[in-house]
Amino acid sequence: MKKQDIFKDLEDSIFSSKSIDEKTKSEVLKKIARLKNCKVNIMITGATGCGKSSTINALFGTEKAKVGTTPDPETMSIEKYELSNLVIWDSPGLGDGKEKDITHAKNIIKKLNELDENNKALIDIVLVILDGGSRDLGTSYELINNIIIPNLGENKDKRILIALNQCDMAMKGVNWDYDNSVPNEKLIKFLDEKVLSVKKRIKEATGVDVDPIYYSAGYKEEGEEQAKPYNLSKLLYYIMKNTPKEKRLVVANNTNKEKEMWQSNDEVKNYNNEIKKSLIDSVVDGIESGADTGGDIGRAIAGSVGEAVGRVVGGVVGGAVGAVKSVISGLFSWW
């Protein structure tokens, strides 16, 4: 499948428009370029066997992350996967033995305290994956409470996501509809209680409020078909929600383009639509910040793709929301 590039499509729509003067085109293209050049760093960590690699592969449509099929942990150090301007840091959690756990903890702490070229924290978000099929999460709590949260600096609750993978195995595979890849009511109740328990324990230990979710990344072993994920859109929605607005398009531009990966979710929200809304905010805010030609930029974008709604934000961008919505809805057809 050919990789679709939202930045190129946005640039092409502006560049090819005959109704925009060259000066305005130049200004709009500069704003899009600024968004395109953002870099996002996400650390994914969790205990051995929780499904970090399958989650990376499902979210981003890559097979770079090796899925474990043996009792030995596959990720023995922090692995770096660069997908355009999206950088995934795949870190082993704890549970590999005392000596290795000490090494893993030191590596995680070091990476969390690393600064980028702007002297800001390199890691934007930490996604901690728990094994939804395990009743013993003591090692994961140690990782979260004693290693990750104390090293997140300010806005800790905005920089950590807790997700229970393998929710289909939470009751040993019982109460899961394998044909439709969804839990039944009994399993949903069990999972809801489990995430509340995780939330409570982390709050009591650290004072930090988190909103854990549950999902199933599916899996793909060599020579086998990809199992259908559940709540993958919900997981991506929470990643987007906690990613700085100006960086969201970078994440979205690297997501898995297979439509079936995003279709099975709970009914609490239409997560796919919520993702698109967050991307619209990303583009509009990105144009607003630093726009120096005022409403001309908003009108230019509106004129290039239509559906202008006449919104004026602080006198800076007018008519951009409807236009951006049209572009993003058309591009991200796999959601």
Side-chain angles (χ1 to χ4, degrees), residues 46-47 94 128-131 136-145:
L94 306 183
V128 184
I129 300 176
L130 310 185
D131 182 354
D136 181 11
L137 296 176
T139 301
S140 295
Y141 287 126
E142 182 179 350
L143 174 68
I144 295 165
N145 299 339

Side-chain angles (χ1 to χ4, degrees), residues 167-221:
C167 67
D168 51 323
M169 298 305 297
M171 299 182 78
K172 299 183 178 179
V174 179
N175 297 308
W176 182 262
D177 181 345
Y178 285 92
D179 291 332
N180 297 301
S181 190
V182 294
N184 67 15
E185 290 185 10
K186 188 173 182 178
L187 181 52
I188 290 173
K189 183 175 184 295
F190 179 85
L191 289 165
D192 286 342
E193 290 173 351
K194 192 162 187 173
V195 296
L196 285 175
S197 173
V198 172
K199 178 182 177 73
K200 181 180 178 181
R201 287 192 61 172
I202 294 173
K203 174 70 172 180
E204 289 174 347
T206 68
V208 175
D209 275 310
V210 295
D211 291 305
I213 68 164
Y214 54 83
Y215 73 105
S216 175
Y219 58 89
K220 185 176 183 181
E221 295 183 6

Side-chain angles (χ1 to χ4, degrees), residues 284-304:
V284 172
D285 281 10
I287 294 171
E288 286 175 1
S289 57
D292 51 26
T293 58
D296 289 343
I297 291 177
R299 287 191 293 273
I301 296 176
S304 68

Side-chain angles (χ1 to χ4, degrees), residues 24-317:
T24 305
K25 281 184 183 182
S26 176
E27 292 298 327
V28 176
L29 290 171
K30 275 193 272 185
K31 310 317 171 195
I32 296 173
R34 188 177 61 79
L35 293 176
K36 179 170 64 175
N37 290 329
C38 288
K39 181 162 280 192
V40 183
N41 287 269
I42 300 176
M43 177 183 282
I44 299 182
T45 187
T48 299
C50 69
K52 295 187 296 294
S53 296
S54 58
T55 298
I56 294 170
N57 293 340
L59 281 172
F60 303 112
T62 177
E63 294 187 9
K64 291 184 179 181
K66 188 175 181 181
V67 177
T69 56
T70 71
D72 297 321
E74 296 285 0
T75 309
M76 298 307 298
S77 60
I78 297 180
E79 300 286 345
K80 180 181 180 182
Y81 304 112
E82 293 190 71
L83 310 172
S84 184
N85 272 11
L86 172 64
V87 182
I88 305 296
W89 301 91
D90 179 6
S91 168
L94 306 183
D96 293 340
K98 187 175 181 179
E99 294 294 326
K100 290 178 181 176
D101 283 357
I102 291 172
T103 299
H104 295 336
K106 287 180 178 178
N107 288 339
I108 291 171
I109 291 170
K110 182 180 179 181
K111 185 57 64 177
L112 290 178
N113 284 279
E114 189 173 331
L115 302 178
D116 64 14
E117 64 275 9
N118 298 313
N119 210 35
K120 294 183 179 180
L122 175 72
I123 301 298
D124 293 293
I125 302 173
V126 181
L127 170 60
V128 184
I129 300 176
L130 310 185
D131 182 354
S134 174
R135 294 182 181 272
D136 181 11
L137 296 176
T139 301
S140 295
Y141 287 126
E142 182 179 350
L143 174 68
I144 295 165
N145 299 339
N146 301 329
I147 297 171
I148 294 175
I149 288 180
N151 289 281
L152 285 180
E154 298 179 355
N155 300 316
K156 299 179 191 295
D157 59 328
K158 302 296 184 184
R159 296 185 60 214
I160 184 169
L161 305 176
I162 311 295
L164 283 74
N165 189 17
Q166 302 170 11
C167 67
D168 51 323
M169 298 305 297
M171 299 182 78
K172 299 183 178 179
V174 179
N175 297 308
W176 182 262
D177 181 345
Y178 285 92
D179 291 332
N180 297 301
S181 190
V182 294
N184 67 15
E185 290 185 10
K186 188 173 182 178
L187 181 52
I188 290 173
K189 183 175 184 295
F190 179 85
L191 289 165
D192 286 342
E193 290 173 351
K194 192 162 187 173
V195 296
L196 285 175
S197 173
V198 172
K199 178 182 177 73
K200 181 180 178 181
R201 287 192 61 172
I202 294 173
K203 174 70 172 180
E204 289 174 347
T206 68
V208 175
D209 275 310
V210 295
D211 291 305
I213 68 164
Y214 54 83
Y215 73 105
S216 175
Y219 58 89
K220 185 176 183 181
E221 295 183 6
E222 189 173 350
E224 300 292 333
E225 290 186 6
Q226 169 76 50
K228 190 176 182 181
Y230 173 73
N231 262 354
L232 195 64
S233 289
K234 185 173 186 175
L235 176 59
L236 181 60
Y237 164 71
Y238 275 92
I239 291 173
M240 291 287 194
K241 184 179 176 182
N242 288 276
T243 299
K245 278 187 178 182
E246 69 274 12
K247 298 184 176 185
R248 291 175 185 169
L249 278 175
V250 172
V251 177
N253 205 40
N254 288 281
T255 53
N256 196 327
K257 305 304 188 288
E258 296 180 26
K259 189 171 184 177
E260 60 271 19
M261 301 293 285
W262 309 102
Q263 292 179 332
S264 181
N265 297 282
D266 67 38
E267 297 180 355
V268 176
K269 289 178 181 286
N270 186 325
Y271 299 107
N272 296 331
N273 282 346
E274 292 297 322
I275 290 167
K276 291 178 182 181
K277 288 178 185 177
S278 76
L279 296 177
I280 292 168
D281 288 343
S282 175
V283 177
V284 172
D285 281 10
I287 294 171
E288 286 175 1
S289 57
D292 51 26
T293 58
D296 289 343
I297 291 177
R299 287 191 293 273
I301 296 176
S304 68
V305 293
E307 288 192 32
V309 296
R311 175 179 173 180
V312 178
V313 185
V316 177
V317 177

